[in-house]
Amino acid sequence: MSIFEYNGSALVAMVGKNCFAIASDRRLGVQLQTIATDFQRISKIHDRLFLGLSGLATDAQTLYQRLLFRHKLYQLREERDMKPETFANLVSALLYEKRFGPYFCQPVIAGLGDEDKPFICTMDSIGAKELAKDFVVAGTASESLYGACESMFKEDMEPEELFETVSQALLSSVDRDCLSGWGGHVYVVTPTEVKERILKGRMD
Amino acid sequence: MKLDTSGLESVAPVWGAPGELVDGFAAAPSFELPNPADFDGFQKEAIQMVKPAKGTTTLAFIFKEGVMVAADSRASMGGYISSQSVKKIIEINPYMLGTMAGGAADCQFWHRNLGIKCRLHELANKRRISVTGASKLLANILYSYRGMGLSIGTMIAGWDETGPGLYYVDSEGGRLKGMRFSVGSGSPYAYGVLDNGYRYDMSIEEAAELARRAIYHATFRDGASGGVASVYYVGPNGWKKLSGDDVGELYYKYYPVIPSTVEQEMVEVEWEVEVEQEMVEGAGA
């Protein structure tokens, strides 16, 4: 198994009407053995910007700490939060700095930009940005996730319907993957609130 | 060199007059194998392509009332789950069971072949074959295919004249007699639960619950095990399937979700902010 499949992960972000949802599985494993079933893969950068990191867990933790540091510096200097597009550029630059010894991570960035327009993007491990209007996926279950999202996605979903769609797509995809699952973690973000929910999934 | 394929041949040849057959077997068909410099290595690539990881959990143990056999039902190809509903407990005959771990095709074929040989033994000797004999037949066949890339880790469980019998047989040619076995990638986790809870004098219900819990714990920790936990019992009258529980539901049965009580609730409170006074004081200082 490759280094990207060492810990196992599943991440998906989806766009709705003036809102977005970002969801991940909760398993942390060492190849086939499951170590933890409450691992946090999605972190908040600020109230309207979330970062999910799939791939090697140690690189995900380090990368998150570095990015949080850079964002805090930005907040001190500019006295405001970073826009999602700017943050995506920052992540891409940071990843390319390590072009010949990369972080083994695939980030998923989701945020609300100007005029509450939702923004999502994903990257490969050396910073190639992939912007999307509908959904982005990452992790060991990514192929199943592409299929599930493609069939379940609709334009302009309200937050509640978006939550249902993202949850179903995530759970059905991780049920076909040995290395991810054991529950789910979903954040649905609107201009006024952030709803965090934990999904009951198959624990095998 | 000639490879002996008599194990693959069906017993009743279509050709040849009835009088020519002496004891029912003509010369064993065979095919030529190449003579390369590295005989052990030249097939390795082909073997690696076919060789699936033994991603599964199966277990069997002997107790006072008979033999309990249990298995999960997941088939995985690397990281992808190809099926959640594979039958891993194979019914060789009404009083003998075999478990499947390793290559599905290998296990299914050779267990069926073993069933055929057992029936032939019954017809030739007018009595049922013992578990010892059946496991020896299988082990000898697998030993002759040693190094050819078969992947089988099986347990033969049955009830014969001497009582309950349990043997572990694998494709390396090993054959072990024992009271408790677990085979597959999830076996360390199953052993933990099985060894801890095992007692010789258990009732059938207790033994079934132990087997079910051992498989469930293995499916929780092992990524390559999951699906349905099947439990079979082999007694003096043959085998009987006791249960097949979906492990996704078993988790919430063993660890029910208790809705947490809300400790602090957010309430709207009206505050009056006195700003003007402070500003006046600052200017005065």
Side-chain angles (χ1 to χ4, degrees), chain A residues 39-94:
Chain A
F39 188 66
Q40 280 268 32
R41 234 164 229 120
I42 300 173
S43 329
K44 187 174 89 158
I45 303 292
H46 61 76
D47 278 327
R48 292 153 63 99
L49 178 58
F50 282 76
L51 171 71
L53 286 160
S54 71
L56 197 61
T58 175
D59 280 353
Q61 286 181 334
T62 304
L63 195 58
Y64 162 65
Q65 285 164 5
R66 294 229 159 122
L67 287 164
L68 191 66
F69 167 70
R70 293 290 295 262
H71 182 256
K72 283 184 178 171
L73 266 183
Y74 183 93
Q75 272 178 329
L76 287 171
R77 289 182 182 137
E78 302 261 331
E79 293 181 0
R80 65 182 178 93
D81 289 332
M82 240 193 222
K83 279 193 234 166
E85 294 85 357
T86 318
F87 187 73
N89 277 330
L90 172 65
V91 180
S92 175
L94 227 67

Side-chain angles (χ1 to χ4, degrees), chain B residues 54-172:
Chain B
K54 289 198 186 132
T56 189
T57 311
T58 57
L59 60 87
F61 58 88
I62 293 178
F63 66 113
K64 184 181 68 175
E65 309 275 355
V67 197
M68 202 54 82
V69 184
D72 74 314
S73 70
R74 177 175 287 186
S76 49
M77 296 191 316
Y80 182 70
I81 298 175
S82 37
S83 172
Q84 290 268 57
S85 50
V86 176
K87 267 193 74 174
K88 293 192 188 178
I89 298 181
I90 300 164
E91 297 141 11
I92 299 170
N93 59 40
Y95 57 96
M96 235 193 302
L97 291 174
T99 59
M100 185 201 299
D106 289 338
C107 288
Q108 281 176 1
F109 180 89
W110 288 109
H111 278 124
R112 185 147 167 80
N113 186 275
L114 179 64
I116 295 171
K117 294 233 157 59
C118 291
R119 178 73 184 131
L120 282 175
H121 176 101
E122 269 180 42
L123 291 169
N125 300 91
K126 265 194 168 176
R127 51 187 266 169
R128 278 182 181 171
I129 193 171
S130 61
V131 183
T132 313
S135 61
K136 193 79 177 175
L137 272 176
L138 181 65
N140 286 341
I141 295 171
L142 294 181
Y143 183 76
S144 68
Y145 284 93
R146 202 173 126 90
M148 308 240 119
L150 287 184
S151 174
I152 299 176
T154 183
M155 295 177 286
I156 306 291
W159 187 290
D160 58 29
E161 283 165 359
T162 60
L166 178 62
Y167 284 83
Y168 164 78
V169 179
D170 70 23
S171 49
E172 313 302 303

Side-chain angles (χ1 to χ4, degrees), chain A residues 1 5 27 32-37 144 174-179 182-183 199-204, chain B residues 74 76 79-84 189 219-227 246-248 251-252 257:
Chain A
M1 281 182 197
E5 292 164 21
R27 177 183 183 266
L32 284 176
Q33 182 179 49
T34 306
I35 305 292
T37 56
S144 299
V174 301
D175 280 349
R176 274 290 175 182
D177 182 25
C178 298
L179 302 170
W182 278 258
L199 300 174
K200 236 172 85 156
R202 285 185 67 98
M203 305 298 259
D204 65 353
Chain B
R74 177 175 287 186
S76 49
Y80 182 70
I81 298 175
S82 37
S83 172
Q84 290 268 57
Y189 313 110
T219 62
F220 181 75
R221 283 288 171 181
D222 180 31
S225 304
D246 185 313
V247 298
Y251 175 82
Y252 294 105
V257 176

Side-chain angles (χ1 to χ4, degrees), chain B residues 40-52 147-150:
Chain B
D40 287 314
F42 90 100
Q43 280 194 53
K44 229 167 224 144
E45 233 186 82
I47 290 170
Q48 284 306 318
M49 186 193 82
V50 179
K51 188 186 179 84
M148 308 240 119
L150 287 184

Side-chain angles (χ1 to χ4, degrees), chain A residues 106-107 109 119-124 127-137 146:
Chain A
Q106 238 195 313
I109 296 158
F119 169 89
I120 51 170
C121 93
T122 185
M123 265 165 241
D124 69 359
K129 261 190 297 187
E130 189 207 306
L131 304 170
K133 293 205 182 89
D134 40 17
F135 57 85
V136 292
V137 304
Y146 271 126

